[in-house]
Amino acid sequence: MAQYAPTVPRVDSSVYLVLCYDGEGSAAIRERELDGHLEYVEKHVDDYLVCGPLREPGESPLVGSFFLVAADSADAARDLVSADPYVKSGMYREVIVKAAVPAGGRLMGGVIWDSADAIRDKAS
């Protein structure tokens, strides 16, 4: 067991972090597409581990969105996010997909390792 936090099971699927950065005119598009976007997220809530808006630290204007997606592949994660009305409308200037490993934190309820030795081979 980890020394300072409970050990929790790993997420049982591949996970992808999708970062979406706003383009020009995003505020008007966001306002226009908000209802459809929220409906889409609700319909696909089981595919998201967590998602939400992005802001610059200490600032209030939105600059994009993030999605932590459980999917079989990077293409499947991209396809899921690409069908969101925000993405379909062209609101984002850039969409980046990265493989991610949820390894610890409050939302997870702990950490996925028992000890440093147990994951040392995966840490580099």
Side-chain angles (χ1 to χ4, degrees):
M1 177 141 197
Q3 187 174 359
Y4 300 106
T7 301
V8 297
R10 291 176 172 267
V11 174
D12 63 356
S13 62
S14 296
V15 175
Y16 300 90
L17 175 62
V18 183
L19 296 169
C20 304
Y21 297 103
D22 286 1
E24 274 198 46
S26 61
I29 297 170
R30 183 174 278 108
E31 184 177 324
R32 184 183 75 227
E33 301 294 338
L34 178 64
D35 293 333
H37 163 70
L38 296 179
E39 180 180 311
Y40 187 82
V41 169
E42 288 178 22
K43 286 182 177 179
H44 298 276
V45 71
D46 289 339
D47 296 316
Y48 300 117
L49 299 178
V50 65
C51 60
L54 292 174
R55 293 181 169 87
E56 293 297 336
E59 301 291 324
S60 60
L62 300 179
V63 297
S65 301
F66 76 95
F67 303 88
L68 197 58
V69 177
D72 292 332
S73 67
D75 287 339
R78 186 179 296 279
D79 289 347
L80 173 70
V81 174
S82 292
D84 184 303
Y86 277 179
V87 179
K88 287 172 56 174
S89 71
M91 185 173 87
Y92 300 119
R93 66 174 164 76
E94 185 175 19
V95 176
I96 298 170
V97 178
K98 300 287 185 185
V101 177
R106 181 172 29 168
L107 291 177
M108 291 183 66
V111 298
I112 64 170
W113 59 86
D114 288 324
S115 68
D117 288 338
I119 63 163
R120 193 169 308 281
D121 63 323
K122 297 175 184 157
S124 55

